[in-house]
Amino acid sequence: MRVVEVSAFVAAPLGGMTLAQLGAEVIRIDPIGGNIDIGRWPLAPGGTSIYWASLNKGKRSVALALNTPEGQELASALICAPGPDTGVVLTNLQARGWLGYDTLAQRRPDLIMAELTGNPDGSSAVDYTVNCASGFPTATGATEEPVNHVLPAWDVAAGLYLTTAILAADRMRSRGRGGQRITLALADVMLATVANLGYVADVQVNGDSRGALGNDLYGAFGRDFRTADGRSVMVAAFSNRQWRALGEATGLAAKLELIGPLLDVDMTTEGGRFEARDAIAAVLAPWFAARGLSEVRAALDGRGVLWGPYQSFQQLVQEDARCSPANPLFGEIDQPGVGRVLAPRFPPGLLGRPAPQPAPPHGSDTEAVLRSVLGLSAREVDGLRQRRVIGGAPPA
C-alpha cells in the first residue's frame, strides 16, 4: 500500500508511521522548509527535532511549494497516482481547496481519504483542549484543582484509530465497495473513550462523577509507597490471587486479614479492598519504608504481585531492561541529525517484526519520489527545483 501523508504534530504522523511499520510505503509531503512541527522540542544538539524524527520513522519525505498551483498539482498527482494499492491519503490539516476530498475524488474516484479534525463540527481542537473537557483532569491528582497530564493520549488513540480505519477502508475497496472519506474528530476519540470506560453511564445511571483520588486505584486496591532509598513504587491487587500474593510476599497476610472484620468490609472483593485502602496502606507502608528498591524487587518479583517502580525518563532508559535492545521491541538506528538511538518496532509480534528504520531528513526523497511515482525526468525535476517548486537537496 502507498499512503500519502499531509500532516503535522502527533496523531496523523503516528498513524502514518504505524502503517510504515506494517510495510506500507508512506510518503509525507511538507512545505519547503518543513511544516509547523519541524522544529518542535526536544531537539538534538545540532538543532534537529528528535520529536519529528521519532514520529516519522520509515517514511519518505517530499518537500513541495504547497502554496503554489504547481506544488499543489504535484501533491495531488502523488495522491491520485494510479495503481491498485495507491490512492490513500492521511491528513490532520484542513482538507479543502486542492486537498479537499471532492477535488481529489474527481481525479481518483476510489480515493480513500482519512481526515482528522478537532471537533465534530469541524472547528479546531488539540489534545490539551480536548483533554480538559474529558473529566480526567478533575479525577487526576489529590485535590479539586484539575491536573493536566503530559501524555497526549487522545492524539495517540486517534492515530491508531486512523490506521485501523484506513486498513478497513482498503479492505472494503478491494472487495468492490469503492473509496470513501473517513472523518474522525479528536473530540470524538475522547468522548468514545470516556463512554467506553463507563463514565458517561455512571453519571446517567448513578448521578456519580469520579473525583480525585491521588495515586489510589479507583474501585480496587492500588497505591504508591515510598522506599527506604527515596524511590517510589506502585502496588496493585485486582484479583484475590494477587491480594493473597501481596500478603504472602510481604509477610503481612495475617495483619491484612484483620482489616476486614475490623472495618466490616469484605476483603475478598475489589470494592471491599477499595473501601479499606487507607487501612491496608497503613499496614503496608512501614514494610516498604524499611526496604530499598532492590530489596523490594527481590521480595516481590516472581511472587505474583502487581507492582512497578516509578521512574523518570532517564531512569527508564538507564535502568529498565525493557527499554533496551534486550527487549525484541527495540532495535538501534542511526538517525540523521540525532545520532544512534533506540527505536521501537511495531509492538504486536507481527510479520517477524522488521527492523526499525530511521526517519528521512526533511525533503530528502523529493526527487526520487517524483521520478519513481510520477515518472518525471531528471531535466523536469531540475526545472522544478530552479523554479523553487520542490525542496530537498539533489541526490549526490
Side-chain angles (χ1 to χ4, degrees):
M1 180 190 294
R2 178 189 297 140
V3 179
V4 176
E5 177 191 322
V6 187
S7 70
F9 295 120
V10 179
L14 178 65
M17 185 180 69
T18 303
L19 291 167
Q21 289 176 324
L22 286 168
E25 177 192 9
V26 180
I27 301 171
R28 173 164 170 164
I29 298 177
D30 285 301
I32 296 175
N35 215 323
I36 54 177
D37 59 344
I38 189 65
R40 199 173 190 206
W41 289 6
L43 305 178
T48 299
S49 171
I50 298 174
Y51 170 95
W52 193 94
S54 298
L55 283 167
N56 291 286
K57 295 187 294 291
K59 302 177 185 178
R60 307 180 79 184
S61 176
V62 170
L64 302 174
L66 294 176
N67 59 340
T68 69
E70 199 169 5
Q72 294 168 3
E73 169 59 27
L74 287 172
S76 301
L78 289 173
I79 293 169
C80 299
D85 298 314
T86 62
V88 181
V89 60
L90 167 62
T91 186
N92 60 347
L93 305 182
Q94 291 184 329
R96 60 189 182 190
W98 71 270
L99 189 55
Y101 174 78
D102 292 337
T103 301
L104 293 170
Q106 290 179 2
R107 299 177 63 159
R108 179 81 193 234
D110 66 344
L111 178 74
I112 294 173
M113 182 172 193
E115 175 188 354
L116 180 69
T117 63
N119 291 301
D121 62 3
S123 59
S124 298
V126 296
D127 189 284
Y128 305 100
T129 61
V130 165
N131 184 62
C132 67
S134 69
F136 285 108
T138 65
T140 302
T143 69
E144 295 182 357
E145 295 298 318
V147 177
N148 287 336
H149 56 74
V150 298
L151 171 67
W154 311 120
D155 279 339
V156 172
L160 299 178
Y161 269 126
L162 289 167
T163 300
T164 306
I166 287 172
L167 295 175
D170 180 65
R171 181 174 173 84
M172 294 178 191
R173 184 172 67 175
S174 69
R175 296 192 169 201
R177 295 278 298 276
Q180 59 181 302
R181 181 184 186 185
I182 303 162
T183 57
L184 175 67
L186 189 65
D188 282 346
V189 175
M190 175 272 288
L191 293 166
T193 303
V194 174
N196 288 337
L197 292 175
Y199 296 117
V200 171
D202 192 27
V203 172
Q204 293 180 310
V205 175
N206 298 321
D208 194 20
S209 183
R210 176 179 166 181
L213 291 170
N215 285 337
D216 282 314
L217 182 65
Y218 177 70
F221 177 72
R223 182 173 289 194
D224 61 314
F225 294 96
R226 197 77 169 168
T227 64
D229 52 358
R231 296 293 294 270
S232 293
V233 300
M234 183 68 187
V235 180
F238 292 92
S239 68
N240 287 329
R241 177 179 296 180
Q242 293 161 359
W243 172 245
R244 290 192 299 269
L246 178 59
E248 293 167 0
T250 58
L252 297 171
K255 291 184 178 180
L256 293 172
E257 287 179 3
L258 299 175
I259 295 175
L262 182 65
L263 299 182
D264 194 25
V265 297
D266 184 356
M267 298 291 283
T268 65
T269 67
E270 288 186 76
R273 293 189 286 267
F274 177 72
E275 291 182 41
R277 62 190 182 278
D278 290 333
I280 296 171
V283 173
L284 292 173
W287 186 91
F288 287 96
R291 292 164 175 80
L293 179 60
S294 60
E295 295 176 273
V296 169
R297 188 185 306 276
L300 302 186
D301 275 356
R303 302 290 295 275
V305 179
L306 288 180
W307 83 283
Y310 283 86
Q311 301 178 144
S312 66
F313 292 124
Q314 186 175 30
Q315 288 169 330
L316 171 67
V317 175
Q318 294 179 348
E319 300 176 9
D320 197 327
R322 296 172 298 181
C323 187
S324 76
N327 184 347
L329 171 69
F330 284 104
E332 290 187 316
I333 60 172
D334 290 309
Q335 178 59 53
V338 175
R340 191 159 184 82
V341 294
L342 286 175
R345 297 172 171 87
F346 185 62
L350 182 68
L351 303 175
R353 281 184 167 175
Q357 301 298 316
H362 169 67
S364 60
D365 300 301
T366 303
E367 178 166 341
V369 168
L370 295 179
R371 296 189 66 178
S372 64
V373 176
L374 301 185
L376 301 186
S377 66
R379 177 176 295 181
E380 290 172 313
V381 172
D382 286 341
L384 291 170
R385 183 172 286 109
Q386 292 172 8
R387 297 193 299 276
R388 298 184 178 179
V389 177
I390 66 174

